[in-house]
Amino acid sequence: MARRALKLASWTSMALAASGFYLYSNKYLDPNDFGAVRVGRAVATTAVISYDYLTSLRSVPYGSEEYLQLRSEVHLRSARRLCELCCANRGTFIKVGQHLGALDYLLPQEYTSTLKVLHSRAPQSSMQEIRQVIREDLGKEIHDLFVSFDDTPLGAASLAQVHKAVLRDGRTVAVKVQHPKVQAQSSKDILLMEVLVLFVKQLFPEFEFMWLVDEAKKNLPLELDFLNEGRNAEKVAQMLKHFDFLKVPQIYWELSTKRVLLMEFVDGGQVNDRDYMERNKIDVNEGHVFLRRIFEDLLCSPPIHLPLLVSRHLGKMYSEMMFVHGFVHCDPHPGNVLVRKRPDTGKAEIVLLDHGLYQLLTEEFRLDYCHLWQSLIWTDMRRVKKYCQRLGAGDLYPLLACMLTARSWNSVNRGISQAPVTATEDVEIRNNAAAYLPQISQLLAHVPRQMLLIFKTNDLLRGIEAALGTRASASSFLNMSRCCVRALAAHKKKTCSFFRRTQISFSEAFSLWQIDLHELILRVKGLRLARWLLALLCWRLPAPH
């Protein structure tokens, strides 16, 4: 019996050693892809983070300076552990980590600043894996389809990577290829996250993060279907075709599948890359050149700078998506929004990429959201409360207003369009994200699911505005207000008589005229000539006694 046991142990050891050597020597097999390794790593990280929070803050008086300092240190340690977990498990974990990193004004800064690096630390598939996916989906080898195919990807993301290639007919294309293991791992990863979030909720009942799992469960299958992404791209290109400053790359359907997407190759610099804009001398001037020069010379008004123009264009695009159409591109991080010189005119053109993640808003939500933003812009606090509560905020309506605008409650009460956000207010908002984290998580659990991706989109757009130095400009709020007026008027016209539709049209035109007049007044106030005249009048007129 002992000899048989020894023999069995010997054979088992040899089998394990051979398996280990094979896995070690085979560069295409990664131990990180095995379920037991991924689950064990995720469970261990969750346990360590939970233990850190439970023990580190237990003996310190709540709210004291020591408590706040210690809490910040725990947040930072935990964020780094979470980031390491996402990088190790890759795929779905990186996608969810990127989502958290985008919530600048909803989560503690220690988390968002740490998790932002995930946008630049996505894994790359090997060329053998890329060839395999193309062979399986298109039925041909790369050299049969393309004259050239760059081995080094233009960019790699959590779910896919993009290569530049040239087709046999001479067209230069961008080839988006899905990482081969993501599809199989995604459903198991989401189930694992769901179990871990439920475990954390048992330890910390005040934190509600199941919304994050629900969103991943709903959106990930759509993002993994590249045919759906192609349809989204064509839909938004048609929807916003009246914007001559927007470019959406054309989809080549004959060589596209659920895991491979071929599109027109469009070059450009990231939207927050001001050096690229200056190096390429992109023309940003709007209107007639002769008239513009007259106004610049006579009024001493500075020309429109590219960052401000780009910011305005982005505001117009996203206001149109959210308020008018209810079909919103929800991943506008700088890698997905490029700026280039338009080949035919030389003017600035925005290139919108990565159309996998869109939020389709119901009409009821879209109209309530329109009313809410109108109320916030024009400081109608009674209606702010009404529409925040209609959107599920309850008694936390001031918090929802602050989360949507990324402004303090004092600024919301004074009017968000009256003054731009200051550095002090920005710090206050970020600190409040840590202080009110339980209330924020509670609110996120109660607002409509559609609101969650809108929060992410808003915060990503604010990040771009901050990089361009155009944060909370009055023109962006006025563009939003125009879209709200148009959207609400269009809804009212749907079921009414001709006479009533005419009344609504006149009312709409009058409201838009009021917005134009308000914008004109703001611009005149900003002109140097107006300031000089005001100073001259003050000097000439005697002060009252």
Side-chain angles (χ1 to χ4, degrees), residues 71 82 90:
R71 184 182 65 185
L82 187 58
R90 303 179 299 191

Side-chain angles (χ1 to χ4, degrees), residues 142-263:
I142 283 180
H143 59 78
D144 294 327
L145 296 167
F146 305 100
V147 175
S148 66
F149 190 98
D150 290 356
D151 287 357
T152 304
L154 294 167
S158 55
L159 306 181
Q161 61 193 54
V162 179
H163 293 259
K164 184 179 178 180
V166 179
L167 289 169
R168 290 283 170 188
D169 59 10
R171 287 177 295 176
T172 303
V173 294
V175 187
K176 184 172 182 178
V177 184
Q178 193 173 114
H179 297 311
K181 297 158 189 168
V182 168
Q183 191 83 247
Q185 292 170 345
S186 61
S187 57
K188 299 167 193 168
D189 286 346
I190 290 173
L191 178 60
L192 173 59
M193 288 179 196
E194 187 169 12
V195 171
L196 294 176
V197 167
L198 287 171
F199 167 74
V200 171
K201 185 171 168 53
Q202 296 302 312
L203 294 177
F204 307 98
E206 67 273 22
F207 292 102
E208 297 266 2
F209 282 101
M210 190 52 70
W211 57 269
L212 186 63
V213 177
D214 291 340
E215 283 301 292
K217 199 183 294 185
K218 181 187 76 174
N219 293 316
L220 200 58
L222 296 175
E223 289 190 79
L224 289 170
D225 181 358
F226 288 177
L227 295 178
N228 176 67
E229 179 175 343
R231 289 190 292 269
N232 288 342
E234 290 194 339
K235 180 175 179 178
V236 81
Q238 178 65 23
M239 195 173 81
L240 302 181
K241 64 181 179 182
H242 55 287
F243 289 144
D244 61 357
F245 57 78
L246 174 63
K247 172 70 176 176
V248 176
Q250 181 184 349
I251 304 299
Y252 299 131
W253 290 108
E254 66 274 17
L255 290 172
S256 293
T257 68
K258 284 195 170 189
R259 294 194 300 167
V260 179
L261 186 67
L262 245 72
M263 63 201 111

